[in-house]
């Protein structure tokens, strides 16, 4: 997830971009079953032709690595035009039988006496699905630039000119790659001019290129976009299956995981604040939720100042101390040290522990049969990635949720897809065969977490729906957006996915209204629930204790 500064809008490079070579891949192989439900983005097939230049001695594995490295930079380059590729690792472009290989002589036209060298040019076809912003719905193609070659060799100048965050780790340059930067546009145009001059000087010499092209830093491409594919039905989650209508189910189990930005003990940690914002949103929407279990044990509202217990502390007050930095009790006055200690004590109550929040409901189906079910939100905020031990503990928590949960919610960082939620850590044996709904509210979760989980889930899309983000998302507001999704699932209206996605929009404090990172729902096309055809009536019961 990104801060607002890292996600600043950039000017789109246009005039200097063209197809990298002639020819066009076959139409996308996507199927109707992959259609996505979104409110700002649609699914479209995307395809382009790329190339890598490698040593003539390169093994197949070296070529695959070069292609994957190059295509990975498209994830950064396409953020500004708001296009998100689905295929992780460019695996659809890594079949050697689809490559075209040419051995080329490298001749420097400015030094005709120098001996020629040889390189191998490998042309590949990329054929994928993408979430594309609906503002591009009239466009049939999009031009962009990828980083070519092993760009780590010149990471410093690229970081300076072509990164949306030059202070970031150079290893994440592919993610931060912003060819729309003015300095980067100049670099790209300079390289194009130099290659064009070489081509002119070498005209008539077959299978010959100059050193500028052999060592190019940038690869302009033009991708073809298939017509938008939009579901023809306004699909909903399978509410009857979530509530267990007709099954005797007694619990709807929701797992809510909250990542950490840098320090879970700091009440100003931005993701810690989002964890609290989730709880505030949840309790504002369903005030009958009550905590019924904490592990490690804690009396959540037991707060003291200088050893003296405060009376009548409420969750709303604690949330205000952490989020709003106001409504402090008179016992701390205006003492900055006492206030800091109070806020740290408050955030610690919700940190590194399971907190189970219960909400009793009755559910009445279309035939009038009523059942009672308890929604239990199993909340956890804590370290998930700072050490191998923290990551292992997080993976165990996720394993529990995959096996026992009905709804899986995650709000936090993606760790570039390589953190504890990385699908490679799991497999089909880790998922139950029940219907589940999964939200991953993190950067580029459409690319990082999408298809693999459908593959692992018994029954695939019949038993799993996912809500994922096509774009990098602001850290601010993620907890509120996730809380709004939960409230929408439980408010008794049985909202459709479009309505739920609309509920997740937020207004930012810097003036951006109705913001959402091009979220989409997938797995919904085989859902059969319809509130219009088989209505459910959901009513909230009194809380489990006053």
């Amino acid at each position: 997830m990104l801060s607002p500064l890292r996600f600043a809008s950039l000017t789109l490079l246009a005039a200097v971009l063209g197809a990298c070579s002639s020819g066009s891949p076959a139409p996308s192989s996507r199927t109707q079953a992959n259609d996505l439900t979104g409110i700002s983005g649609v699914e479209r097939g995307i395809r382009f032709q790329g190339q890598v230049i490698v040593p003539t001695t390169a093994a197949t594995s070296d070529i695959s690595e070069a292609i994957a490295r190059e295509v990975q930079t498209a994830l950064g380059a396409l953020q500004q035009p708001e296009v998100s590729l689905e295929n992780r690792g460019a695996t659809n472009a890594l079949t050697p039988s689809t490559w075209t290989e040419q051995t080329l002589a490298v001749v420097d036209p400015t030094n005709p006496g120098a001996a020629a060298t040889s390189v191998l040019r490998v042309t590949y076809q990329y054929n994928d699905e993408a979430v594309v912003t609906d503002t591009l719905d009239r466009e049939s193609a999009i031009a962009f630039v990828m980083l070519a070659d092993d760009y780590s060799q010149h990471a410093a100048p690229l970081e300076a000119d072509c990164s949306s965050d030059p202070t970031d780790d150079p290893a994440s340059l592919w993610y931060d790659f912003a060819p729309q930067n003015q300095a980067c546009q100049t670099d790209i145009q300079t390289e194009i001019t130099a290659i064009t001059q070489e081509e002119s000087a070498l005209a008539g010499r077959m299978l010959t290129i100059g050193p500028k092209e052999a060592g190019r830093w940038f690869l302009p491409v033009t991708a073809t976009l298939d017509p938008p594919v939009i579901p023809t039905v306004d699909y909903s989650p399978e509410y009857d299956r979530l509530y267990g209508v007709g099954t005797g189910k007694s619990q709807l189990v929701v797992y809510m995981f909250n990542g950490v930005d840098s320090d879970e003990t700091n009440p100003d940690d931005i993701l810690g604040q989002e964890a609290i914002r989730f709880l505030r949103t949840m309790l504002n929407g369903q005030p009958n939720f009550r905590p019924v279990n904490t592990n490690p044990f804690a009396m959540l509202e037991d707060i003291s100042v200088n050893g003296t217990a405060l009376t009548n502390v409420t969750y709303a007050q604690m949330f205000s101390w952490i989020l709003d930095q106001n409504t402090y009790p008179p016992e701390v006055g205006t003492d900055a040290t006492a206030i800091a200690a109070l806020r740290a004590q408050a955030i610690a109550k919700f940190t590194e522990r399971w907190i189970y929040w219960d909400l009793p409901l009755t559910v009445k189906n279309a035939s009038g049969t009523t059942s009672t079910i308890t929604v239990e939100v199993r909340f956890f905020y804590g370290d998930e990635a700072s050490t191998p031990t923290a990551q292992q503990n997080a993976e165990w928590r996720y394993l529990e949720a995959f096996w026992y949960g009905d709804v899986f919610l995650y709000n936090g960082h993606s760790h570039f897809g390589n953190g504890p939620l990385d699908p490679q850590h799991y497999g089909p044996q880790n998922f139950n065969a029940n219907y589940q709904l999964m939200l991953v509210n993190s950067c580029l979760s459409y690319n990082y977490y999408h298809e693999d989980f459908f593959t692992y889930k018994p029954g695939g899309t019949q038993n799993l729906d996912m809500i994922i983000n096509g774009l990098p998302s602001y850290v601010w507001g993620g907890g509120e957006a996730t809380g709004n999704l939960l409230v929408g699932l439980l408010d008794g209206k049985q909202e459709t996915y479009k309505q739920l996605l609309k509920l997740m929009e937020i207004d930012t404090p810097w003036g951006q209204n109705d913001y959402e990172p091009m979220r989409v729902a997938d797995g919904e096309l085989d859902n059969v629930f319809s509130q219009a055809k088989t209505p459910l009536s959901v009513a909230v019961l009194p809380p489990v204790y006053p």
Side-chain angles (χ1 to χ4, degrees):
M1 305 178 83
L2 297 183
S3 68
L5 293 178
R6 288 190 61 195
F7 197 44
S9 177
L10 302 170
T11 304
L12 178 62
L13 172 65
V16 303
L17 303 186
C20 69
S21 57
S22 61
S24 178
S28 170
S29 59
R30 62 191 167 86
T31 64
Q32 185 74 11
N34 290 333
D35 300 358
L36 308 173
T37 294
I39 56 174
S40 67
V42 296
E43 183 186 55
R44 302 181 69 173
I46 185 170
R47 55 194 186 276
F48 60 84
Q49 184 169 275
Q51 66 178 39
V52 294
I53 295 176
V54 296
T56 56
T57 56
T60 299
S61 59
D62 299 325
I63 298 171
S64 292
E65 181 180 347
I67 294 172
R69 180 174 58 235
E70 182 172 273
V71 173
Q72 187 181 45
T73 67
L75 298 180
L78 288 170
Q79 289 177 22
Q80 194 277 341
E82 299 189 351
V83 176
S84 183
L85 303 177
E86 177 184 60
N87 185 257
R88 186 180 185 190
T91 57
N92 63 51
L94 302 184
T95 303
S97 62
T98 66
W99 299 340
T100 300
E101 300 183 10
Q102 293 175 304
T103 300
L104 306 176
V106 181
V107 175
D108 186 353
T110 66
N111 187 10
T117 58
S118 296
V119 294
L120 183 67
R121 179 168 64 195
V122 181
T123 303
Y124 62 87
Q125 314 295 335
Y126 187 87
N127 189 353
D128 196 6
E129 290 84 40
V131 178
V132 180
T133 176
D134 54 15
T135 60
L136 295 176
D137 60 358
R138 295 182 181 272
E139 304 297 326
S140 60
I142 186 167
F144 63 99
V145 176
M146 297 183 292
L147 288 175
D149 195 23
D150 183 359
Y151 53 84
S152 64
Q153 300 176 60
H154 29 263
L158 286 172
E159 282 278 317
D161 290 355
C162 299
S163 175
S164 61
D165 184 3
T167 66
D168 208 355
D169 186 340
S172 63
L173 176 59
W174 61 269
Y175 181 87
D176 298 321
F177 179 46
Q180 303 86 0
N181 287 2
Q182 186 59 53
C184 197
Q185 291 184 34
T186 300
D187 294 343
I188 295 168
Q189 183 60 70
T190 299
E191 181 176 270
I192 290 173
T193 300
I195 291 174
T196 301
Q197 291 172 348
E198 284 184 339
E199 290 174 342
S200 178
L202 295 170
R205 302 184 65 165
M206 299 294 293
L207 299 177
T208 302
I209 61 174
K212 292 294 186 182
E213 183 169 356
R216 68 189 310 155
W217 289 15
F218 306 100
L219 184 71
V221 297
T222 296
T224 300
L225 296 173
D226 291 346
V229 178
I230 302 172
T232 57
V233 175
D234 207 357
Y235 292 96
S236 300
E238 300 276 48
Y239 288 101
D240 52 345
R241 297 177 70 186
L242 283 178
Y243 289 122
V245 173
T247 67
K249 182 178 180 179
S250 62
Q251 269 193 329
L252 193 170
V253 179
V254 178
Y255 281 86
M256 172 56 185
F257 297 107
N258 303 268
V260 176
D261 187 51
S262 60
D263 181 4
E264 69 269 26
T265 68
N266 182 358
D268 292 320
D269 183 276
I270 191 167
L271 278 175
Q273 293 211 330
E274 290 309 313
I276 300 304
R277 193 168 277 115
F278 167 83
L279 290 176
R280 172 189 272 180
T281 304
M282 181 184 80
L283 292 180
N284 283 344
Q286 292 288 1
N288 282 8
F289 266 114
R290 293 291 186 274
V292 297
N293 182 40
T294 57
N295 186 18
F297 176 77
M299 298 296 290
L300 299 178
E301 295 171 306
D302 281 6
I303 301 291
S304 62
V305 175
N306 296 323
T308 301
L310 301 181
T311 59
N312 301 317
V313 173
T314 66
Y315 297 118
Q317 287 176 310
M318 296 172 72
F319 300 159
S320 289
W321 301 341
I322 297 168
L323 297 175
D324 309 320
Q325 300 189 45
N326 60 26
T327 68
Y328 299 127
E331 287 83 351
V332 301
T334 59
D335 185 330
T337 300
I339 289 172
L342 178 75
R343 296 181 69 231
Q345 187 181 172
I347 192 68
K349 293 290 188 177
F350 304 100
T351 303
E352 294 292 349
R353 63 168 44 90
W354 287 106
I355 306 175
Y356 289 10
W357 300 81
D358 278 16
L359 176 72
L361 303 172
T362 59
V363 181
K364 182 166 64 175
N365 65 16
S367 64
T369 303
T370 300
S371 60
T372 300
I373 189 169
T374 298
V375 177
E376 184 165 271
V377 176
R378 300 179 178 180
F379 172 96
F380 191 93
Y381 164 61
D383 187 6
E384 55 167 352
S386 68
T387 66
T389 298
Q391 177 156 324
Q392 181 65 76
N393 289 338
E395 290 173 20
W396 286 336
R397 293 193 291 268
Y398 301 155
L399 284 168
E400 177 185 325
F402 295 152
W403 193 253
Y404 293 107
D406 298 297
V407 177
F408 180 105
L409 305 176
Y410 173 78
N411 181 68
H413 288 304
S414 284
H415 308 286
F416 301 114
N418 297 316
L421 197 53
D422 187 337
Q424 70 176 344
H425 301 310
Y426 312 101
Q429 72 280 4
N430 300 130
F431 288 80
N432 67 39
N434 302 326
Y435 172 72
Q436 291 177 306
L437 192 158
M438 185 176 190
L439 163 75
V440 183
N441 193 51
S442 66
C443 290
L444 300 183
S445 53
Y446 171 72
N447 180 268
Y448 297 151
Y449 307 115
H450 182 218
E451 283 297 308
D452 290 316
F453 286 125
F454 283 122
T455 302
Y456 296 159
K457 178 69 176 180
T461 61
Q462 291 186 346
N463 290 329
L464 178 64
D465 292 351
M466 292 192 72
I467 298 176
I468 51 271
N469 299 345
L471 293 175
S473 55
Y474 297 138
V475 176
W476 192 94
E480 178 184 349
T482 307
N484 284 336
L485 172 64
L486 177 65
V487 171
L489 289 172
L490 303 178
D491 65 8
K493 299 177 183 178
Q494 283 66 258
E495 269 105 351
T496 66
Y497 271 119
K498 282 190 175 181
Q499 291 169 326
L500 291 171
L501 293 174
K502 193 70 179 172
L503 288 175
M504 296 182 73
E505 291 180 332
I506 58 171
D507 296 337
T508 68
W510 52 91
Q512 188 173 359
N513 294 333
D514 300 328
Y515 165 74
E516 58 93 32
M518 207 159 67
R519 291 189 186 96
V520 292
D522 198 9
E524 82 288 19
L525 296 190
D526 46 19
N527 290 5
V528 297
F529 175 81
S530 169
Q531 179 68 2
K533 296 178 181 178
T534 55
L536 294 179
S537 176
V538 178
V540 178
L541 294 174
V544 292
Y545 58 84

